[in-house]
Amino acid sequence: MIQKVEEIRVTEQSYPFASAERYCKLSELGFVEKEYYMEGTANVYQTMADGTIGVKNADAPYVNRFIVRMPQSPEAFSGNVTVEIINATSFMEIDRMWILGWKEFVRRGDIYVGITSKPNTIAKMVEFDQERYGRLSWPNPTPEIPFSYTADDVRKAGGLVDQDIQTEPGLFWDMLSEIGALLKSDSENNPLRDLDVRCVTATGWSQSAGYLIRYINDFVCRDEAGPNAYDGFLVAGAPRYFVIPVNQYECAMPGRTEQCVIGSVKVPTIVMHTECENGHLGTALVRRKEGDASDFLCRQYDITGASHDTVYSYIDYYQKDEDLIRIHHLPEYVGKNAVANNYPSQYLVAAAFRNLFYWIQTGVAPAKCDLIELDCRGENVKDALGISKGGLRTCLLDYPTGAYYNTSDIEKGANPIFPDSDVEALFGHEEPYPAEMLKFLYQDLEHYRALVTEHTLAQVSKGFIVKEDADELIEMAVSLAKSRGLG
């Protein structure tokens, strides 16, 4: 139960970790960024013999934090709230869905709430600002009970080695339910209580998307707060080769395939994958479905061309932040390929957010789209130009100026998560076509502009690109073609 919410004052000397005010200049756009402590108690759950979820430890105390980015004027608020499960895979707070969707949130007047999802990121936040984040605490209620597995056991189970006997990530499930319910309430703890909140959605990227899948399958229908906490979900970039454990004592427990896909969901839900998850990160190993039945309101989209990380989402957004350099945690591309993948998945994610809220408010589901074609090994099928077939597409694929790949070559040891690999499985690369080939395909830049404009407007009409992004996408495509030699 959330017992207390307290705003953490922002000053020139003390500000949120990876502050969007610094990266996006929110105040110049009519937005404000605030941060809060969230104190209370939560249950730690366990997987029972029949596969259901039961309470392992009740009412364990915690101190967590969340970030709010919202219009400065109440009149500018749309009524829509998105709660992101901030990604913790790299031991750093990465608010990827904010990064991909922030322009849509700002222009629509949506409120964004990002919540810390695992205690493994606290150390970096404390290193960033001890005074600001030293209160954060996710204590393990049973630290005297040792883990029954080794780090190798976790790796073999497909998990991430980030366990700490002093903390317990399993406290998060109640936090997620309760913050969603809080934002709709008239509680004094609700920082949005004076606003007209009409719908609240939850979202997450990568490991955090796995959290959402587990939450939907095992908590939404069982938790009293669940059915009323969230009106929809946007699940993006979820690797399917490992199952999110319900507590860290279960990190080496063999997973079941059905835990990796949404079994039933009664509120509008959009699931998105890049070429990484669709191919070598395991999506081909599990059955995917979509529908409009009352117990399964779901759309599935593959973002053809994009890798899990891109230049825009993993490097450019952070603007070589001196604070992240200071704590030795600035994200970087470690691939040996000359051109890193910079496919603009942000435009497709922006449209997905808009479609999700429209679906919730009107009952009108977004258009369906073919998934990427897979071969017998579960890898993406490429055409003669090196472009994957099928999926959700932009003009950069149907009128390409280069091929997009979902991996990069790296030196062994360059990837801290997979130190023995010479392949970067999350951050792909591009291979530009020769100028002569572009001239053969498209004649000149004027003709190319006409082609990509027609294509983009067609995708706008289908709802896959929002009209506000159309011109920017067209200019990106034309600029890229020009830089690659098309005159």
Side-chain angles (χ1 to χ4, degrees), residues 68-83:
V68 176
R69 295 159 186 156
M70 60 188 292
Q72 292 174 348
S73 169
E75 290 74 24
F77 175 43
S78 66
N80 301 329
V81 179
T82 291
V83 176

Side-chain angles (χ1 to χ4, degrees), residues 18 36 60 78 86 89 105 150 159 224 230 261 276 341 355 381 417 447 475-476:
Y36 298 86
S78 66
I86 298 177
T89 302
F105 301 146
T150 66
E224 289 183 1
Y230 297 102
V261 293
C276 286
N341 189 304
N355 289 337
V381 175
I417 300 176
H447 184 229
E475 291 307 317
M476 173 185 288

Side-chain angles (χ1 to χ4, degrees), residues 31 75 135 145 159 293 370 372-373 394 396 433 447 473 486-487:
F31 256 57
E75 290 74 24
R135 283 177 55 184
I145 300 177
D370 292 337
I372 293 176
E373 262 186 62
T394 70
L396 293 174
Y433 299 151
H447 184 229
L473 175 57
L486 184 62

Side-chain angles (χ1 to χ4, degrees), residues 283-323:
T283 296
L285 303 177
V286 297
R287 182 173 61 89
R288 290 189 286 165
K289 61 179 181 176
E290 60 182 2
D292 299 298
S294 60
D295 63 346
F296 196 77
L297 298 171
C298 187
R299 286 287 180 270
Q300 298 269 359
Y301 298 114
D302 289 338
I303 305 176
T304 314
S307 55
H308 193 80
D309 297 324
T310 66
V311 175
Y312 173 88
S313 66
Y314 196 62
I315 296 176
D316 287 353
Y317 176 78
Y318 293 103
Q319 303 174 17
K320 298 182 180 179
D321 188 341
E322 292 181 358
D323 284 327

Side-chain angles (χ1 to χ4, degrees), residues 122-306:
I122 293 176
K124 276 299 172 186
M125 285 194 287
V126 169
E127 185 179 350
F128 167 76
D129 190 330
Q130 164 71 40
E131 185 175 350
R132 190 172 188 86
Y133 294 117
R135 283 177 55 184
L136 299 180
S137 175
W138 293 42
N140 180 3
T142 58
E144 72 283 359
I145 300 177
F147 298 141
S148 61
Y149 54 78
T150 66
D152 283 342
D153 293 332
V154 175
R155 293 189 186 97
K156 289 176 184 176
L160 298 169
V161 182
D162 59 7
Q163 294 74 39
D164 181 347
I165 197 69
Q166 299 303 318
T167 63
E168 177 49 75
L171 294 166
F172 182 68
W173 306 110
D174 279 357
M175 296 185 206
L176 182 60
S177 287
E178 289 168 8
I179 194 170
L182 175 70
L183 296 173
K184 291 182 176 181
S185 76
D186 59 2
S187 167
E188 291 185 359
N189 282 324
N190 179 11
L192 311 182
R193 63 184 176 276
D194 295 328
L195 299 174
D196 181 19
V197 174
R198 293 194 288 273
C199 60
V200 179
T201 65
T203 190
W205 179 269
S206 193
Q207 179 183 185
S208 297
Y211 265 65
L212 267 185
I213 293 170
R214 184 93 200 233
Y215 178 72
I216 292 168
N217 285 341
D218 289 326
F219 291 92
V220 167
C221 295
R222 296 175 173 82
D223 189 335
E224 289 183 1
N228 299 315
Y230 297 102
D231 303 295
F233 299 99
L234 178 48
V235 182
R240 297 303 176 81
Y241 59 84
F242 67 88
V243 174
I244 299 297
V246 74
N247 68 66
Q248 66 177 344
Y249 287 90
E250 298 184 5
C251 285
M253 179 182 291
R256 304 190 308 277
T257 300
E258 61 267 23
Q259 291 176 309
C260 298
V261 293
I262 297 171
S264 174
V265 62
K266 297 180 180 179
V267 294
T269 299
I270 293 176
V271 181
M272 306 185 84
H273 300 97
T274 72
E275 289 206 32
C276 286
E277 305 85 54
N278 177 73
H280 57 260
L281 293 185
T283 296
L285 303 177
V286 297
R287 182 173 61 89
R288 290 189 286 165
K289 61 179 181 176
E290 60 182 2
D292 299 298
S294 60
D295 63 346
F296 196 77
L297 298 171
C298 187
R299 286 287 180 270
Q300 298 269 359
Y301 298 114
D302 289 338
I303 305 176
T304 314

Side-chain angles (χ1 to χ4, degrees), residues 383-452:
D383 63 19
L385 294 177
I387 304 295
S388 293
K389 296 182 177 181
L392 190 57
R393 307 170 75 83
T394 70
C395 58
L396 293 174
L397 300 181
D398 288 345
Y399 298 105
T401 58
Y404 294 86
Y405 295 88
N406 58 13
T407 63
S408 295
D409 301 319
I410 61 172
E411 299 290 346
K412 282 191 175 181
N415 187 328
I417 300 176
F418 307 105
D420 296 329
S421 178
D422 58 2
V423 174
E424 169 55 82
L426 301 180
F427 202 152
H429 72 283
E430 300 177 21
E431 293 184 4
Y433 299 151
E436 294 77 11
M437 181 176 174
L438 297 182
K439 292 174 184 176
F440 175 79
L441 289 172
Y442 309 120
Q443 302 167 31
D444 55 39
L445 207 57
E446 182 179 355
H447 184 229
Y448 184 75
R449 178 183 290 276
L451 292 172
V452 299

